Amino acid sequence: MNGRIASMACVWIAVAVLGGAPAAYGDGPIVAWGHDYSGQCGVPPPNESFVAVAAGSSHSLGLKADGSIVAWGDNIFGQCDVPTPNTSFVAVAACTWHNLGLKADGSIVAWGRNEYGECTVPSPNTNFVAVAAGGSHSLGLKADGSIVGWGWNYYYQCTPPAPNTGFVAVAAGSNHSLGLKTDGSIVAWGQNDVDQCSVPWPNTSFVGIAAGVGHSLGLKAGGAIVAWGTNWAGQCNVPSPNASFAAVAAGHNHSLGLKTDGSIVAWGDNNRGQCDVPAPNAGFEAVAGGGSHSLAIRTGGHSRGDLNCDGAVNGFDIDPFVLVLNATPPDYLEYYAAYPDCDHMLADCNDDGLANGFDIDSFIALLGGG
């Protein structure tokens, strides 16, 4: 498991960053599941070399290893139109209809809906190390440990409580905000109608945070998740065993936890299948939750066409390739029975997001080294 994993919060939400690193990252393809009515689960090709993910209400963002951002899904407010130059990004955050991108120079770029000034970054736009996007507000964590908030502030979700110092991570829900302190405590402010800001005792030993519409998540140093706030869909009922988690993410009304073994646990509202993690549930390095969809980055250790996962594309991949084409979607149980540690999407040789007969010519080309 990649030791760089940190926590992720997004929905109407956020990126929670520890030490200025991207909130949830790996190095490989994105797996998406749940509601796809706006194409938010249709990752554009080439689906590779992603290092961070963020999910809005019905759109998605992926940060590439080269520092560029790819956006897809609902674009009603231009939330998928990444401003130029699309370079040098190191972190991303997505909410309902606006996004934030953190540049390597410490500045923030914001785009999408700006009805309440949520995309108008306050001056000076410098020295930021983390970003979080809420329903209609935004947060930026400065290198000095202070938090800057802007946008809709009806519930004072943009106004961090004093002392505004010593923060190492931020997360934003619909109308509330979370900040993680250097001492492992969580500070919460903004709307608290369903106790989303009432951090459970003992408020210590937290290492990660995430925020949904009306619920909050905290990851403990020992690998357990603490959840509080609204629980109408069971989004605060962490499944047993509540242990060995390495990262947390919050969707609209669902929650996700990434285990140290690379598997994902999801719970809460599942009306669109957003909690049904696709098989194989293994090899994940990052996770994000959106309105009714979820995103994850899978380890990019194998190339397209390497269906037996032996590190090479050759004649030994023909049988498993045929097995994928003849297997029954969406679970492909026949393939995974023979190759449990591989991924059927390695058969997507034409990179159109599907594994089917249209991949045959591209697979043959890969066998020939073309």
Side-chain angles (χ1 to χ4, degrees), residues 64-152:
K64 290 273 192 173
D66 64 4
S68 63
I69 293 173
V70 180
W72 63 98
D74 182 25
N75 197 34
I76 188 172
F77 291 103
Q79 60 266 46
C80 292
D81 298 329
V82 186
T84 57
N86 187 358
T87 58
S88 303
F89 287 104
V90 297
V92 289
C95 74
T96 314
W97 291 308
H98 81 285
N99 307 308
L100 304 174
L102 177 64
K103 291 274 192 172
D105 65 3
S107 63
I108 294 173
V109 178
W111 66 100
R113 191 183 72 165
N114 195 32
E115 183 177 356
Y116 298 99
E118 57 264 51
C119 290
T120 307
V121 186
S123 182
N125 187 358
T126 58
N127 297 321
F128 287 104
V129 297
V131 287
S136 295
H137 73 290
S138 304
L139 302 174
L141 175 64
K142 290 275 192 174
D144 64 4
S146 63
I147 294 173
V148 179
W150 62 98
W152 196 44

Side-chain angles (χ1 to χ4, degrees), residues 103-355:
K103 291 274 192 172
D105 65 3
S107 63
I108 294 173
V109 178
W111 66 100
R113 191 183 72 165
N114 195 32
E115 183 177 356
Y116 298 99
E118 57 264 51
C119 290
T120 307
V121 186
S123 182
N125 187 358
T126 58
N127 297 321
F128 287 104
V129 297
V131 287
S136 295
H137 73 290
S138 304
L139 302 174
L141 175 64
K142 290 275 192 174
D144 64 4
S146 63
I147 294 173
V148 179
W150 62 98
W152 196 44
N153 198 32
Y154 183 83
Y155 296 101
Y156 301 100
Q157 61 265 48
C158 297
T159 309
N164 187 3
T165 59
F167 289 103
V168 295
V170 288
S174 182
N175 294 310
H176 74 289
S177 303
L178 304 175
L180 177 63
K181 290 272 193 174
T182 54
D183 65 2
S185 64
I186 294 174
V187 179
W189 62 98
Q191 188 176 18
N192 195 35
D193 59 326
V194 289
D195 289 329
Q196 61 266 53
C197 291
S198 302
V199 185
W201 184 90
N203 187 357
T204 59
S205 303
F206 288 103
V207 296
I209 49 177
V213 170
H215 76 290
S216 303
L217 303 174
L219 175 64
K220 289 278 191 173
I225 294 173
V226 179
W228 62 98
T230 185
N231 195 34
W232 68 266
Q235 60 265 53
C236 292
N237 297 334
V238 186
S240 181
N242 185 358
S244 302
F245 287 103
V248 289
H252 191 146
N253 289 298
H254 71 289
S255 304
L256 305 111
L258 176 62
K259 292 272 191 172
T260 55
D261 65 1
S263 64
I264 292 172
V265 180
W267 63 98
D269 186 18
N270 195 33
N271 66 329
R272 300 294 183 177
Q274 60 265 49
C275 293
D276 297 331
V277 185
N281 188 355
F284 290 109
E285 294 188 315
V287 64
S292 296
H293 72 294
S294 303
L295 305 174
I297 296 178
R298 181 170 277 145
T299 304
H302 298 287
S303 301
R304 284 189 295 273
D306 183 15
L307 273 299
N308 66 352
C309 297
D310 66 353
V313 181
N314 52 37
F316 293 106
D317 294 297
I318 295 175
D319 285 346
F321 179 77
V322 173
L323 192 56
V324 170
L325 297 189
N326 291 330
T328 305
D331 295 324
Y332 296 87
L333 296 179
E334 301 91 337
Y335 172 72
Y336 289 117
Y339 304 95
D341 297 323
C342 295
D343 187 344
H344 75 275
M345 286 304 294
L346 293 171
D348 179 22
C349 297
N350 68 353
D351 202 23
D352 67 351
L354 300 171

